[in-house]
Amino acid sequence: MANFSVADLRLILTNRSEVYAAVDQILPTPERLDFLESLRRASPLSASPTRQRATEIEQLLLQLDSVQQLGQSPLIAVSGLLNAGKSSLIASFLSPSNRSRVLVGTGNQQGTHRFVLWLPASWQQQASVWNRWLQQLQQIFGHAPEWLSRDPQIAYAQYNGQAFAECSTAHSPRGEDAPANDSSVAHSKDISTFSIPLIATDAALDTLGVGLIECPDIQTGIFGSATSTPWDESDLPEYRRRLLAQAAKLCSAFIVVTKLRDLHDRQAERLLSTLKDSMPGLPRILAINLVRRRYSPSEIMAESRVMMERFQIDRLYAAYDFRGELERERLPPTPEEFASQAARGEAIEHPIFFRLDRQLPDDRAPRPAPDDYLLRLGKQLNQSEMVQAWRTTLTLQLQQHLLQGRDELQSLSTQQQRLIDEMRRNVAEAILSMIAVRDEAGNSVDVRLQTSKQIIRQINDSLHRTAPWWAWPSLMVDKTVAWTKEAVSSAARSVMPVTAMQQSLKGVKDWFKHSDRSQVMTADRLRKELRQRLPLESFAQWSDETWLEICQKILDRFQNENQTLLPDADLDSWAKSIWDNMPWRKRLTTGLVPVATIFAPLAAVLFIPFDFGGSTVLVFASLKELVAAAGVAGAWAAFSGNPTPAVAEQEAAWQQYGDLVAVAMDTLGIPRPDNDTKTPRLRTSSGSRKLPTSTLTVKLERDATQPQLWHIRSEFVRLVDQFNNLSQTLKT
C-alpha cells in the first residue's frame, strides 16, 4: 500500500488530470472534476453537507501541514456550562495585568460570547509560526481574528459579543490595536459576530508552557436577552456547538468545566459528546469548579466516576469554592505560581484546581503534589505524545471525511442516473399518451403513424404504380401534378367546383383535428404533457415561454429529419387491393378525372399546420384512419383482406415514435440510453415493448439549467480505497 504525504493528498484531491480526477461530468457540460470541486458542486445549497465536508477536508489538510510547527506548546480548549467558571479558570493561568481583561461574572451580560485565544507571547515573536496560526484561525472561523483590547471595558464588550473592526488582525497582524473609545463599537447582532475569534498573548503562558482557548457559553444568546432560547429550542446553540467542534481541531487537549450539581446535566453530556466526537483521540479533562467544602475529595471522585468512564475522561480536577470561612482546611496550599501575589498579602480570588484521579488527596486537608495542580498541566503533558495524538486524530477525521465523501458522490451519481432513467421513461410515456391507439378500456394497443409528407407522397406514388389500365387516362392528366397545396388545388379546380373542393379538404382536416381516432400534436399540447410528467425541480428555471420554444424545436426537428417510410412492396400490395376493390361506378369516374383529385383529401393533412399559424404540428393516424377520412373507395376492403400493410405500418409507426422520443430527449438535454438496461420499456395491452433505438444523429442540447449527470471514475474509487488506513500510511 502506498504511503502519502499531506502534499500528495492535496494533489490527489484538487487535481482534474486523467490520473486523479474524481468525476466525469456528462451533464450539463462535459468536464472532469476533482474531488473537492465535486463535493462543492454536489448541491446548490451553500450550507449543504457535501460543501461543508469539502471545507472540513481543506482545513484538516492545512492543520496536518501545521502540526509539527504549531505543536511546540499544547493549546487547550476550555469549555463548559453557563456560570461554571471557565473565565475564572482561564484567568488563573494569566499574569495579574491580563486577568483584568477577562470578563468574569454570573449574569448573561458577563457571559463569554466569542472564542478567546490566550497564547504564549513567544509565539508572536516567531513570524512563521504566528502567521500560520492566523491562517489556521481564519480558515476555521471564516474571519480574521480580532485583537482583545487592552482596555478592560472594551475587552468586556468584545467578550460579550460586540465586534471592533479596528482590532482586526487583518489590519495589524503583529500588534494589539484597540479602538479609542466606545463609539467605534460595531453593534452587529448577526450570528457571524460569534465566529470572529479574539486573540491575546501573555508571557505567563510561556512559563506554564500552554496556550488556552476559552470557548463561548453554548446555551445563551449573544447579547444577554432575557428571553434567550434554551438549548433544545434554538438554532443558535446548534450553530455554536458546530463551531466548537471546528475550533476543537486546533487543540491538543480540552477541559470541560462544570459544577458538581451539573455533573449529570443533559447539557453537560451533550457538550462532552460534541468534544469526544470532534477530537476522539485527544486527552479529555474534567474540571469541577466551586465545590462546596462540605464534600470530600473521595465523594467528588465517587460522584464523577460514571461520567469519567462513559466519556473516557483522562483526568479529573476539582476546585473548592474559595469564598467563606468554614472548613478552609480543605483549600489546598497556594501553588508557587501565586507565591508572589500571596507574599504581597493579596487575596487569591481564583479557583485552585488540583487532581483527584491519580492519587486521592486526604479528605480532611488535601495537600496535592506540585505536579497535581492544573496550572502545571502544560508541563505534565508529554508534548511529543500529544503532537502524535493530535496528528492521529486529525488523520482519522480526514480519513472519515474522504471515505464518506466518496460514498456521497457514488450515491449522488446513482441518484442522478436514476433520475435520468426516470426522465427518459417520462418523456416516452408523455409522447405515447398523445399518439397511442387505445382499446375500449383505454389501454395502449399500438402507436399511430405520423402522416408526414414523405408518407403521403409514398402512398400517392404507390397508387400510381399499381393503377389498372382503366385508370391510365387519369394518370396522363395527373402526371405533372405535385403534392403541394397549390398543385392539388389547381388540379381539383379544373374538374370540380371550387366550393366542393374546399368543402372536401375542410372536411378531412376537421376529421383529423377533432376525431379521437387520430391525434394532432402541437407544441402547446406537448408542453403540457411533458411538464405534467417530468420532475419540476429539474427544469425549475424554465418559463412557459421557454417550454413552448423547446417543444416547438422538437416538432420542427422531427418534421425535418424524419425519413421513415413504409416498405414499397407491402404498400404496393395494399394499393393494388384498393384498385381491385373499387366499385365499377367509381372506376368509370376515376378514368375520366385526374387521380390527384380523387385522392386529394389524403393530402389535406399536409395543410393542417396552416390552421395553427403555420407552425409545425404533427398529425398521427393509421393508414386505415387516413383513407377512411379521405373516403377512398375500396380502402376498407383492402385492409380487411390484406393484413400485411398493417404489420409494416406498425413497425414504421414504432420507429417514428422512437425517433420522436430521441429528438425530445436531445432537445431537453436528456442523454439517450446507451444500453438495453437503460432503455425505457412501454406497457401495452399485449405486454411491454422496448423503446425503438433511433437512427437519427444525436444532437444533445446543453444548458446550465439542465440536471447534473456524473460518472464516478473507477480509478479514483480505487485510489480512495487506499485511504482506509490513512493513519498508518500518512507520512510525517
Side-chain angles (χ1 to χ4, degrees):
M1 182 176 293
N3 289 329
F4 302 96
S5 67
V6 174
D8 292 335
L9 287 177
R10 187 174 283 110
L11 173 66
I12 291 170
L13 302 177
T14 60
N15 197 298
R16 296 186 177 193
S17 69
E18 181 72 24
V19 178
Y20 296 127
V23 167
D24 284 327
Q25 177 173 282
I26 301 169
L27 289 176
T29 55
E31 62 177 313
R32 280 200 298 259
L33 303 177
D34 63 59
F35 182 66
L36 294 183
E37 182 66 17
S38 301
L39 290 176
R40 293 190 192 95
R41 291 199 199 179
S43 171
L45 302 177
S46 59
S48 69
T50 53
R51 287 196 178 198
Q52 291 176 359
R53 192 176 304 286
T55 301
E56 290 265 4
I57 291 171
E58 287 180 322
Q59 292 173 355
L60 287 166
L61 289 172
L62 179 61
Q63 288 168 313
L64 282 166
D65 243 350
S66 310
V67 165
Q68 292 300 132
Q69 192 175 23
L70 302 184
Q72 55 183 322
S73 293
L75 183 63
I76 300 175
V78 180
S79 186
L81 303 187
L82 181 65
N83 298 328
K86 301 183 299 298
S87 298
S88 297
L89 185 152
I90 292 284
S92 71
F93 280 78
L94 303 178
S95 58
S97 61
N98 279 325
R99 291 173 194 159
S100 62
R101 298 163 70 189
V102 179
L103 182 61
V104 178
T106 58
N108 200 27
Q109 290 293 345
Q110 287 79 44
T112 299
H113 301 301
R114 308 271 290 278
F115 284 90
V116 186
L117 286 84
W118 284 95
L119 305 177
S122 63
W123 293 13
Q124 191 180 0
Q125 307 311 314
Q126 304 175 58
S128 61
V129 173
W130 189 250
N131 291 334
R132 182 62 66 94
W133 269 113
L134 296 181
Q135 182 185 12
Q136 289 265 32
L137 291 172
Q138 179 150 0
Q139 187 173 40
I140 287 287
F141 293 97
H143 299 277
E146 184 179 296
W147 287 109
L148 181 67
S149 174
R150 295 188 182 278
D151 183 328
Q153 294 304 314
I154 297 177
Y156 297 161
Q158 290 175 294
Y159 260 87
N160 206 233
Q162 300 179 23
F164 294 78
E166 296 89 339
C167 293
S168 174
T169 57
H171 303 316
S172 177
R174 305 290 298 161
E176 299 184 32
D177 293 341
N181 52 60
D182 287 348
S183 64
S184 60
V185 174
H187 294 281
S188 170
K189 297 196 182 247
D190 195 310
I191 218 172
S192 63
T193 305
F194 171 79
S195 64
I196 304 175
L198 296 169
I199 191 169
T201 62
D202 192 322
L205 297 176
D206 286 301
T207 303
L208 296 174
V210 69
L212 301 169
I213 300 181
E214 182 175 358
C215 301
D217 301 323
I218 290 184
Q219 310 98 297
T220 58
I222 290 182
F223 288 97
S225 167
T227 59
S228 295
T229 314
W231 183 307
D232 291 328
E233 299 176 11
S234 172
D235 289 336
L236 181 57
E238 180 60 33
Y239 171 79
R240 291 187 170 201
R241 196 160 53 251
R242 288 199 306 269
L243 203 53
L244 174 62
Q246 287 288 95
K249 295 183 177 66
L250 295 168
C251 303
S252 305
F254 55 80
I255 300 172
V256 174
V257 186
T258 182
K259 294 179 181 178
L260 190 61
R261 68 169 183 264
D262 297 328
L263 194 58
H264 303 291
D265 188 277
R266 190 159 71 97
Q267 296 175 3
E269 293 178 357
R270 294 183 69 180
L271 176 57
L272 282 165
S273 295
T274 296
L275 294 172
K276 178 184 175 183
D277 295 341
S278 301
M279 299 296 283
L282 297 187
R284 288 180 281 280
I285 300 165
L286 184 61
I288 303 177
N289 194 21
L290 298 174
V291 180
R292 294 184 180 180
R293 293 195 290 271
R294 66 171 179 263
Y295 296 111
S296 67
S298 58
E299 289 174 320
I300 301 170
M301 185 67 197
E303 187 68 19
S304 307
R305 197 176 304 279
V306 172
M307 185 71 77
M308 292 184 67
E309 292 175 355
R310 179 179 175 187
F311 292 100
Q312 300 172 348
I313 303 296
D314 296 281
R315 295 175 178 230
L316 175 66
Y317 290 83
Y320 283 109
D321 191 338
F322 53 84
R323 298 165 296 185
E325 299 301 325
L326 298 177
E327 300 184 271
R328 292 192 67 82
E329 64 274 10
R330 279 209 165 126
L331 295 176
T334 302
E336 291 180 5
E337 287 77 8
F338 293 153
S340 60
Q341 187 176 347
R344 293 192 300 269
E346 298 176 7
I348 308 300
E349 296 184 346
H350 298 291
I352 299 175
F353 287 89
F354 59 95
R355 190 170 179 180
L356 299 182
D357 62 293
R358 184 170 65 172
Q359 183 177 355
L360 194 64
D362 179 69
D363 271 354
R364 191 63 198 160
R367 294 295 180 266
D371 285 346
D372 283 346
Y373 286 101
L374 183 61
L375 285 171
R376 308 283 176 82
L377 181 62
K379 296 181 178 179
Q380 296 166 27
L381 297 173
N382 185 308
Q383 190 57 25
S384 62
E385 290 181 359
M386 289 185 65
V387 169
Q388 185 56 44
W390 186 18
R391 180 183 178 83
T392 299
T393 298
L394 294 173
T395 302
L396 290 173
Q397 289 190 0
L398 178 60
Q399 173 182 308
Q400 182 181 26
H401 281 301
L402 293 176
L403 297 177
Q404 289 180 346
R406 174 203 61 189
D407 294 344
E408 286 169 344
L409 291 181
Q410 287 180 315
S411 175
L412 177 63
S413 176
T414 300
Q415 293 173 13
Q416 291 172 344
Q417 187 59 62
R418 191 178 298 123
L419 175 63
I420 294 295
D421 290 343
E422 180 183 346
M423 291 169 70
R424 290 187 184 117
R425 185 172 61 254
N426 291 339
V427 171
E429 290 177 348
I431 293 176
L432 180 64
S433 71
M434 302 176 68
I435 66 173
V437 178
R438 301 184 183 277
D439 58 21
E440 294 180 355
N443 299 315
S444 299
V445 176
D446 221 323
V447 293
R448 289 183 169 89
L449 190 71
Q450 196 267 317
T451 53
S452 63
K453 183 184 297 185
Q454 293 88 341
I455 295 291
I456 299 296
R457 187 187 302 278
Q458 194 181 15
I459 294 173
N460 174 54
D461 291 344
S462 181
L463 289 169
H464 277 66
R465 283 196 304 271
T466 59
W469 62 268
W470 44 264
W472 290 350
S474 66
L475 295 179
M476 296 300 294
V477 176
D478 190 51
K479 62 181 179 180
T480 60
V481 176
W483 282 87
T484 65
K485 181 179 181 182
E486 293 76 12
V488 172
S489 300
S490 176
R493 190 181 301 113
S494 64
V495 294
M496 62 186 299
V498 173
T499 302
M501 180 267 295
Q502 291 175 338
Q503 288 178 345
S504 174
L505 297 180
K506 182 178 182 303
V508 175
K509 289 192 291 180
D510 288 345
W511 189 93
F512 275 107
K513 288 193 291 184
H514 302 296
S515 172
D516 59 1
R517 292 170 292 178
S518 64
Q519 294 290 346
V520 177
M521 183 182 295
T522 65
D524 187 54
R525 263 196 81 192
L526 182 58
R527 173 184 65 86
K528 291 176 181 177
E529 290 292 339
L530 290 174
R531 292 198 67 177
Q532 182 179 343
R533 286 174 168 79
L534 289 172
L536 295 179
E537 62 273 12
S538 299
F539 301 93
Q541 299 184 43
W542 285 10
S543 63
D544 283 348
E545 291 74 15
T546 301
W547 269 103
L548 202 59
E549 179 183 343
I550 292 294
C551 291
Q552 190 61 60
K553 287 176 66 175
I554 293 172
L555 300 186
D556 290 343
R557 182 185 163 196
F558 180 77
Q559 179 84 317
N560 293 331
E561 297 186 15
N562 171 37
Q563 298 296 327
T564 302
L565 296 173
L566 297 167
D568 283 335
D570 295 334
L571 189 58
D572 286 352
S573 176
W574 168 72
K576 186 174 184 305
S577 297
I578 291 180
W579 291 114
D580 291 344
N581 288 282
M582 186 174 290
W584 278 103
R585 182 178 299 177
K586 192 70 174 177
R587 294 184 186 185
L588 293 174
T589 305
T590 302
L592 300 176
V593 298
V595 172
T597 304
I598 303 299
F599 296 103
L602 287 176
V605 68
L606 302 179
F607 308 149
I608 291 178
F610 292 92
D611 295 341
F612 289 90
S615 299
T616 300
V617 300
L618 304 179
V619 179
F620 293 85
S622 67
L623 285 178
K624 185 184 293 187
E625 293 166 340
L626 190 63
V627 295
V632 177
W636 288 102
F639 270 103
S640 60
N642 186 0
T644 303
V647 174
E649 174 194 353
Q650 289 170 4
E651 293 307 312
W654 277 100
Q655 185 58 55
Q656 285 182 331
Y657 168 62
D659 289 343
L660 179 55
V661 171
V663 168
M665 289 181 186
D666 287 356
T667 312
L668 292 168
I670 303 170
R672 300 185 197 179
D674 53 11
N675 58 56
D676 282 349
T677 60
K678 298 178 182 179
T679 302
R681 300 194 70 86
L682 293 312
R683 291 189 299 272
T684 66
S685 58
S686 58
S688 67
R689 176 162 181 160
K690 186 179 70 174
L691 179 71
T693 301
S694 175
T695 57
L696 299 182
T697 303
V698 176
K699 298 179 182 178
L700 187 64
E701 299 277 350
R702 299 191 181 277
D703 187 292
T705 63
Q706 292 166 343
Q708 289 179 328
L709 180 59
W710 289 357
H711 171 69
I712 309 303
R713 296 170 62 87
S714 57
E715 300 89 344
F716 184 79
V717 173
R718 288 194 294 271
L719 190 59
V720 175
D721 285 342
Q722 299 181 51
F723 300 158
N724 274 298
N725 197 15
L726 195 59
S727 60
Q728 301 298 319
T729 58
L730 187 64
K731 300 176 186 176
T732 58

